[in-house]
Amino acid sequence: MSKQFVENITNMEDDFAQWYTDVVRKAKLVDYSSVRGSMIIRPYGYQIWENIKIELDKRIKETGHENVYMPLFIPESLLQKEKDHIEGFAPEVAWVTHGGEEELQERLCVRPTSEVLFGEHYKNIIHSYRDLPKLYNQWSNVVRWEKTTRPFLRTLEFLWQEGHTCHETEEEAIEETEKMLDVYSKICEEFLAIPVIKGKKTDQEKFAGATFTYTVESLMHDGKALQTATSHFLGDGFAKAFGIEFLDRNGELQNVQQTSWGFTTRVIGAMIMVHGDNRGLVLPPKVAPTQVMILPIAQHKEGVLDHAYSIKNRLSSIARVGIDSSDKQPGWKFNEYEMLGVPLRLEVGPRDIEKEQVVLVRRDTGDKFTVSLEELETKIEETLSQIQANLYKKAKERMTEKTTSVTNLEDFQNVLQEGNQLIKAMWCGNSACENIIKEKTGATSRCIPFNQESISAQCVCCNHQVQHMVYWAKAY
Amino acid sequence: MSKQFVENITNMEDDFAQWYTDVVRKAKLVDYSSVRGSMIIRPYGYQIWENIKIELDKRIKETGHENVYMPLFIPESLLQKEKDHIEGFAPEVAWVTHGGEEELQERLCVRPTSEVLFGEHYKNIIHSYRDLPKLYNQWSNVVRWEKTTRPFLRTLEFLWQEGHTCHETEEEAIEETEKMLDVYSKICEEFLAIPVIKGKKTDQEKFAGATFTYTVESLMHDGKALQTATSHFLGDGFAKAFGIEFLDRNGELQNVQQTSWGFTTRVIGAMIMVHGDNRGLVLPPKVAPTQVMILPIAQHKEGVLDHAYSIKNRLSSIARVGIDSSDKQPGWKFNEYEMLGVPLRLEVGPRDIEKEQVVLVRRDTGDKFTVSLEELETKIEETLSQIQANLYKKAKERMTEKTTSVTNLEDFQNVLQEGNQLIKAMWCGNSACENIIKEKTGATSRCIPFNQESISAQCVCCNHQVQHMVYWAKAY
Ligand SMILES: [Zn+2]
Ligand SMILES: [Zn+2]
């Protein structure tokens, strides 16, 4: 197809950041506004979020959780009740100081997360072990006053779900923390075709106010890592700060054990950077707003359009199907739907009608092949599954390729100087070493993976006895 | 059933406002928080909102609209671009003045509605008639700094959808305004069983910045009216303020014609006040989170629980079915699910098992009857339809009963002194008369109904020549 039709996006090898910006704009996912650091999520981007939301909401409900809605504003005094929490969040919240014409007696912050609101509510509604567990979730917008922002990856405001649960025992709460991390890792791998590493954050990287934080980390095309979702075991820190107490089975007063966990619009950024290529977006079929785009060829010829629409109707029960019968040139259309990442293109023209066939073109591989009308449904379903599986496989292979084990800081630095990637290295457990590594290599600890390996007996930084194998990387 | 089980709620005849507060709390719809004027929407309340949202979202998409997401914050300078709009909203917005530790150069308001954000975006993406119409919708939270608040009816923050569209011509935009009012009136009548009056707001009551506002008004149990949803024709006011221009079919530059329309969590308050009674909430089956609640009787007896659960499984494909097999007393359960407004109670005990029957009890009428297991599905579906229809019918009859036509101000005052209701009266079109009526009777103009009648030849207030028949009432 002729060069003139190709949308002008930067090659990812030349400038990955610019490639990303080009894709989110040219694929019409977002637009900017005069609100610094905030994004407009356009219809195509929002449909992707809706598809993710429907799937995740189903899985959250299947695991026994109920949705609620908490206020947007948090009085300053309420936010200050948990010491670590306020220390972590104070530098990045937006403050409301005036309502209408009047100055408020107490500032309200726009929620950066809702632990304290749930804490206050739980104190009101939990009294006995019979009231437990409480398994609540909320879909909402939150605000964090970020200096540098990028669409989906880091914005002043983002959309997410935040789960907040209360339990009788520590064991049960930790089990919940693990269960929800599993829900996240599965939706990443099964639905978004993003391979993840499951593990625990180091103390330095954990959530402000948590006992510990579990995370799913993924690797982008450029070798940088991205924290895709987190699940926190809060212990009884918030429960003590907010006085969430219950009479246990022995009639004794105890604090509840809590968890919280969140999944955000950030994952759309991850999906773009894991699957995208130099032709634009590449969407896994399960999340794609349009799975099959029908392009009638020589559509002015008699019968072509009718035939194309009848195929659309025929396929509408097995896939999300679109059709472009505008008078734009075929070359323009090919490129447009490649830019939008539509998994499968279906071309049908007079010759295909004659031969009782259609032409299918895969977005992920570019493979082009004909399919007889007779086996159309089977082949479409089969091909969409293959695309979904192939995207996951390719991303998994890339992650394996871009992971290197190192045993000393010099190798660590050298490997990263050749190009960003995941580093596996042993760590003594001391945060001083984390800081040195960050300073010397730019990489941060991504997680202590659940799947531990022994690479060497000594910390990659200080040579002292090791505690854990850790994944390190430069990160978004 | 014995008195001791009855939850203590105020009689609506004694104190309607207190009855309302009791119901929203005892039916676990909302809870209060330390955030003044904001509400926590609890799982049961949120499920109701989710059911409404799913149905309305489907209807909004079926009429060709796409969902997007705009920022939460609006820079002060952007809000000020449309003069009438800022005048209307300035007194009731919350202002963010600080981000993290720093004071902002320009204040940001928390969106009270998003016309100006859409305006700015539309200017960017609309250039030609080929880009029109743009039919966007957004599900979001908005904030209005209200002095006096009540759960659902008037809160600092509420949830809603706001549609914002752009069109080539005035005719097309007005058609859209009407179409969306129809979507609202239908979801009220068909889904929420709330009868509505469709009409136009007077100039004094229209949306700040609109050319005119259409409304659906409904009548509460206590004879007060509630504006249930509105649809605005904006003309080209925002388009001029924001420079939203397009090249029309003749190659000439024009401003787009716009609409906006919104439907909020307020409707839950309407539903409570239209259908509720002295036993609590009454939910129309279509919106009820649980449509049938199964209560096993003498559940400790062998086979009862198994049988009850098998009925639950059997019914789960035709209705949303719950079961309460807790060890609480039957009397407590009866009252609890009446309080929660569950449309249908299904009792099944040893004697029913023997007779191959169940007992059904309708929430709306209290009717109790047995149904053979053989015709269980048919009867449940039939009864749920009957309840849905009956709730609408009862509300419609009440509205007819509580509507009085008057031809002079004295009658107007006398009628309202006997009790709140809808007043039909002729009006000259002069806002001075609206103000006098409000002052003397407490009633405001609710709408100029599309279905006009001629009650008299003279304005109910000034005796001048009439322009319209108007519905008046005290309103929420
Ligand atoms: Zn070390
Ligand atoms: Zn008059």
Side-chain angles (χ1 to χ4, degrees):
Chain A
M1 88 206 54
S2 93
K3 187 77 183 160
Q4 76 203 55
F5 295 118
V6 181
E7 284 267 359
N8 191 18
I9 65 170
T10 309
N11 265 327
M12 56 164 71
E13 292 77 13
D14 297 340
D15 184 345
F16 193 77
Q18 190 57 48
W19 169 85
Y20 179 80
T21 306
D22 288 351
V23 170
V24 296
R25 296 297 298 278
K26 294 265 166 77
K28 302 187 186 71
L29 298 175
V30 302
D31 198 8
Y32 296 106
S33 75
S34 62
V35 192
R36 183 191 76 77
S38 295
M39 62 180 163
I40 293 167
I41 309 182
R42 301 187 65 185
Y44 198 58
Y46 200 77
Q47 279 176 56
I48 291 171
W49 179 239
E50 280 184 319
N51 288 346
I52 294 170
K53 197 173 154 176
I54 288 167
E55 182 66 24
L56 182 55
D57 190 64
K58 194 185 73 173
R59 295 179 185 214
I60 288 172
K61 283 175 177 157
E62 279 170 0
T63 43
H65 303 84
E66 300 179 291
N67 286 340
V68 299
Y69 189 76
M70 292 282 158
L72 173 68
F73 296 138
I74 306 175
E76 188 164 14
S77 56
L78 194 66
L79 189 66
Q80 283 169 338
K81 280 203 170 182
E82 212 289 330
K83 204 180 63 59
D84 293 336
H85 193 63
I86 177 74
E87 266 178 30
F89 280 102
E92 53 178 65
V93 295
W95 292 103
V96 172
T97 57
H98 290 72
E101 315 290 341
E102 96 204 31
E103 190 172 347
L104 305 185
Q105 289 190 305
E106 180 180 14
R107 301 198 295 178
L108 302 172
C109 94
V110 183
R111 66 178 161 220
T113 178
S114 306
E115 274 73 10
V116 301
L117 294 165
F118 277 89
E120 187 189 40
H121 181 50
Y122 281 142
K123 181 192 162 51
N124 283 340
I125 63 166
I126 292 171
H127 308 291
S128 146
Y129 72 89
R130 287 195 186 83
D131 300 323
L132 295 172
K134 276 278 176 279
L135 307 173
Y136 284 177
N137 177 55
Q138 158 168 290
W139 289 95
S140 65
N141 55 341
V142 287
V143 169
R144 297 184 186 172
W145 208 262
E146 305 281 0
K147 302 275 177 204
T148 321
T149 60
R150 303 186 63 194
F152 296 119
L153 299 176
R154 198 171 290 279
T155 44
L156 232 66
E157 179 192 7
F158 57 85
L159 304 182
W160 77 344
Q161 68 56 226
E162 46 177 324
H164 295 268
T165 69
C166 294
H167 306 265
E168 283 184 69
T169 64
E170 197 171 290
E171 294 67 38
E172 197 188 299
I174 291 175
E175 200 180 294
E176 166 82 6
T177 314
E178 288 164 0
K179 185 196 283 174
M180 297 323 291
L181 192 78
D182 267 354
V183 167
Y184 290 156
S185 75
K186 281 188 179 139
I187 203 164
C188 285
E189 301 206 321
E190 297 168 359
F191 195 74
L192 302 167
I194 299 176
V196 296
I197 295 163
K198 293 198 284 183
K200 195 178 185 171
K201 286 281 180 191
T202 62
D203 269 0
Q204 189 157 290
E205 299 281 333
K206 76 181 183 188
F207 177 76
T211 306
F212 62 73
T213 289
Y214 288 148
T215 179
V216 287
E217 300 281 326
S218 50
L219 188 70
M220 306 299 101
H221 229 302
D222 63 346
K224 283 196 192 169
L226 188 142
Q227 173 184 307
T228 311
T230 47
S231 181
H232 317 294
F233 170 60
L234 302 179
D236 60 7
F238 285 91
K240 280 184 175 150
F242 287 88
I244 316 170
E245 293 177 327
F246 69 102
L247 274 176
D248 70 11
R249 286 163 202 267
N250 304 318
E252 278 167 34
L253 215 52
Q254 283 203 35
N255 284 117
V256 298
Q257 298 284 332
Q258 292 186 281
T259 82
S260 69
W261 27 276
F263 196 87
T264 84
T265 36
R266 188 164 212 229
V267 80
I268 296 174
M271 202 178 55
I272 296 166
M273 293 196 292
V274 167
H275 302 305
D277 64 21
N278 284 329
R279 294 182 164 276
L281 201 59
V282 178
L283 292 175
K286 285 187 184 173
V287 77
T290 301
Q291 298 172 312
V292 182
M293 180 54 75
I294 301 176
L295 301 187
I297 306 296
Q299 63 186 31
H300 57 280
K301 297 223 172 130
E302 203 186 321
V304 171
L305 270 183
D306 284 350
H307 185 72
Y309 275 97
S310 79
I311 289 175
K312 179 171 187 291
N313 286 337
R314 186 176 153 182
L315 291 178
S316 66
S317 63
I318 63 153
R320 294 186 287 271
V321 186
I323 189 166
D324 185 343
S325 57
S326 70
D327 55 7
K328 286 169 180 143
Q329 297 197 45
W332 183 92
K333 292 183 187 177
F334 293 164
N335 284 285
E336 174 73 0
Y337 298 107
E338 286 190 345
M339 178 64 69
L340 296 181
V342 176
L344 208 47
R345 180 167 90 222
L346 188 158
E347 302 172 13
V348 59
R351 247 189 21 184
D352 303 308
I353 297 177
E354 209 173 284
K355 292 188 178 172
E356 300 192 344
Q357 68 178 29
V358 302
V359 175
L360 294 182
V361 184
R362 279 174 64 157
R363 174 66 180 87
D364 61 332
T365 58
D367 288 353
K368 187 168 180 166
F369 51 101
T370 59
V371 165
S372 77
L373 280 182
E374 212 171 90
E375 48 177 12
L376 187 58
E377 281 83 354
T378 328
K379 284 292 175 189
I380 296 262
E381 284 184 321
E382 201 179 283
T383 311
L384 289 174
S385 298
Q386 283 165 359
I387 296 171
Q388 182 82 27
N390 181 52
L391 288 177
Y392 179 78
K393 187 166 155 278
K394 278 195 341 195
K396 184 90 178 173
E397 282 168 4
R398 189 182 323 116
M399 188 154 81
T400 309
E401 269 166 39
K402 292 208 175 190
T403 303
T404 306
S405 301
V406 301
T407 54
N408 61 67
L409 213 45
E410 212 185 322
D411 286 353
F412 201 141
Q413 287 172 301
N414 290 338
V415 169
L416 284 186
Q417 256 156 26
E418 280 167 40
N420 289 332
Q421 53 178 294
L422 270 177
I423 300 287
K424 290 203 273 194
M426 303 309 286
W427 176 56
C428 62
N430 196 328
S431 58
C433 287
E434 271 183 285
N435 293 338
I436 294 169
I437 290 170
K438 188 174 177 182
E439 206 175 289
K440 297 213 170 164
T441 71
T444 51
S445 71
R446 303 318 307 152
C447 70
I448 305 164
F450 295 157
N451 286 331
Q452 281 288 309
E453 297 166 48
S454 178
I455 292 169
S456 64
Q458 295 168 324
C459 174
V460 71
C461 179
C462 68
N463 289 331
H464 282 116
Q465 207 187 336
V466 298
Q467 276 202 5
H468 308 288
M469 190 270 274
V470 169
Y471 278 98
W472 313 80
K474 291 183 190 162
Y476 280 96
Chain B
M1 90 207 47
S2 88
K3 187 79 184 159
Q4 78 202 53
F5 295 119
V6 181
E7 285 268 358
N8 191 18
I9 65 169
T10 309
N11 266 327
M12 56 164 72
E13 291 78 13
D14 296 342
D15 184 345
F16 193 76
Q18 190 56 49
W19 169 85
Y20 179 80
T21 306
D22 288 351
V23 170
V24 296
R25 295 298 297 278
K26 295 265 165 76
K28 302 187 186 74
L29 298 175
V30 303
D31 197 7
Y32 296 106
S33 75
S34 62
V35 192
R36 183 192 75 78
S38 294
M39 63 180 165
I40 293 168
I41 308 181
R42 301 187 65 184
Y44 198 59
Y46 201 78
Q47 280 177 56
I48 290 171
W49 179 240
E50 280 184 318
N51 288 346
I52 294 170
K53 196 174 155 177
I54 289 167
E55 182 65 24
L56 182 55
D57 190 65
K58 195 183 72 170
R59 295 178 186 214
I60 287 172
K61 284 176 177 156
E62 279 169 1
T63 43
H65 302 86
E66 300 180 291
N67 286 339
V68 300
Y69 188 76
M70 292 283 157
L72 173 67
F73 296 138
I74 305 175
E76 189 165 14
S77 56
L78 194 67
L79 190 65
Q80 283 168 337
K81 281 204 171 183
E82 213 289 331
K83 206 180 61 60
D84 292 337
H85 193 63
I86 176 74
E87 267 178 28
F89 281 103
E92 53 177 63
V93 295
W95 292 104
V96 172
T97 56
H98 290 73
E101 314 291 341
E102 95 204 33
E103 190 173 350
L104 305 185
Q105 290 189 302
E106 181 180 13
R107 301 198 295 177
L108 302 172
C109 95
V110 183
R111 65 177 161 222
T113 177
S114 306
E115 273 74 10
V116 301
L117 294 164
F118 278 89
E120 187 189 40
H121 182 50
Y122 281 141
K123 181 193 160 52
N124 283 339
I125 63 167
I126 292 171
H127 308 291
S128 146
Y129 72 90
R130 288 196 184 83
D131 301 323
L132 295 172
K134 277 277 176 280
L135 307 173
Y136 285 177
N137 176 57
Q138 158 168 291
W139 289 95
S140 66
N141 54 343
V142 287
V143 169
R144 297 183 187 174
W145 208 262
E146 305 281 359
K147 301 276 175 203
T148 322
T149 61
R150 301 186 63 194
F152 296 119
L153 299 176
R154 198 172 290 279
T155 44
L156 231 66
E157 179 193 7
F158 57 87
L159 304 182
W160 77 344
Q161 70 54 225
E162 47 178 322
H164 296 267
T165 70
C166 294
H167 305 266
E168 283 183 70
T169 64
E170 198 173 287
E171 293 68 39
E172 198 189 299
I174 292 175
E175 200 181 292
E176 166 82 6
T177 314
E178 288 164 0
K179 185 196 283 175
M180 298 323 290
L181 192 78
D182 266 355
V183 167
Y184 291 156
S185 74
K186 281 188 179 140
I187 202 163
C188 287
E189 301 206 318
E190 297 168 359
F191 195 73
L192 301 167
I194 300 176
V196 296
I197 295 164
K198 294 198 283 183
K200 196 177 184 172
K201 287 280 182 192
T202 62
D203 270 0
Q204 190 158 288
E205 300 282 332
K206 75 180 184 189
F207 177 76
T211 306
F212 62 74
T213 289
Y214 288 148
T215 180
V216 286
E217 301 281 326
S218 50
L219 187 71
M220 305 298 102
H221 230 303
D222 63 346
K224 283 196 191 168
L226 189 141
Q227 172 184 306
T228 309
T230 48
S231 181
H232 317 294
F233 170 60
L234 303 178
D236 60 6
F238 285 91
K240 280 183 174 152
F242 287 88
I244 316 169
E245 292 176 327
F246 69 103
L247 274 177
D248 71 11
R249 287 163 203 267
N250 304 317
E252 279 165 36
L253 215 51
Q254 283 203 36
N255 284 118
V256 297
Q257 298 285 332
Q258 292 186 280
T259 83
S260 70
W261 26 276
F263 196 87
T264 85
T265 36
R266 190 167 211 224
V267 80
I268 297 174
M271 203 178 56
I272 296 166
M273 293 196 293
V274 168
H275 301 307
D277 64 21
N278 284 329
R279 295 181 163 277
L281 201 59
V282 178
L283 292 176
K286 285 188 183 172
V287 77
T290 302
Q291 297 172 311
V292 182
M293 179 53 76
I294 299 175
L295 300 187
I297 306 297
Q299 62 183 33
H300 57 281
K301 296 222 170 128
E302 203 184 323
V304 173
L305 270 183
D306 284 350
H307 186 72
Y309 274 98
S310 79
I311 288 175
K312 178 172 187 290
N313 286 337
R314 186 176 153 182
L315 290 178
S316 65
S317 62
I318 63 152
R320 294 186 288 271
V321 187
I323 189 166
D324 186 343
S325 56
S326 69
D327 55 7
K328 285 169 182 143
Q329 297 198 43
W332 183 92
K333 292 183 188 178
F334 293 163
N335 285 285
E336 174 73 359
Y337 299 108
E338 285 188 346
M339 179 64 69
L340 296 180
V342 176
L344 209 47
R345 181 167 92 222
L346 188 157
E347 302 172 13
V348 58
R351 244 188 24 180
D352 302 309
I353 297 177
E354 208 172 284
K355 291 188 178 174
E356 300 193 343
Q357 68 178 31
V358 301
V359 175
L360 294 183
V361 185
R362 278 174 66 157
R363 174 65 180 88
D364 61 332
T365 58
D367 288 354
K368 188 168 180 166
F369 50 101
T370 60
V371 165
S372 78
L373 280 181
E374 211 170 274
E375 47 176 11
L376 187 58
E377 282 84 354
T378 326
K379 285 292 175 190
I380 296 261
E381 283 184 323
E382 201 178 283
T383 311
L384 289 174
S385 297
Q386 282 165 0
I387 296 171
Q388 182 83 26
N390 180 51
L391 289 176
Y392 179 77
K393 187 166 154 280
K394 279 197 338 198
K396 184 91 178 172
E397 283 167 2
R398 190 182 322 116
M399 188 155 79
T400 308
E401 269 166 39
K402 292 209 175 189
T403 303
T404 305
S405 300
V406 300
T407 55
N408 62 67
L409 213 46
E410 211 185 322
D411 287 352
F412 200 142
Q413 286 172 303
N414 289 338
V415 169
L416 284 185
Q417 256 157 28
E418 280 167 38
N420 288 332
Q421 53 178 293
L422 271 177
I423 300 288
K424 290 203 273 193
M426 304 309 286
W427 176 56
C428 62
N430 196 327
S431 59
C433 287
E434 270 184 284
N435 294 337
I436 294 170
I437 290 170
K438 188 175 176 182
E439 207 176 285
K440 296 211 169 165
T441 70
T444 51
S445 71
R446 303 318 307 152
C447 70
I448 304 164
F450 294 157
N451 287 330
Q452 282 287 308
E453 297 165 49
S454 179
I455 292 169
S456 64
Q458 295 167 324
C459 173
V460 70
C461 179
C462 68
N463 289 332
H464 282 117
Q465 207 189 335
V466 298
Q467 276 200 8
H468 308 288
M469 190 268 276
V470 170
Y471 279 98
W472 313 80
K474 291 184 190 160
Y476 281 95

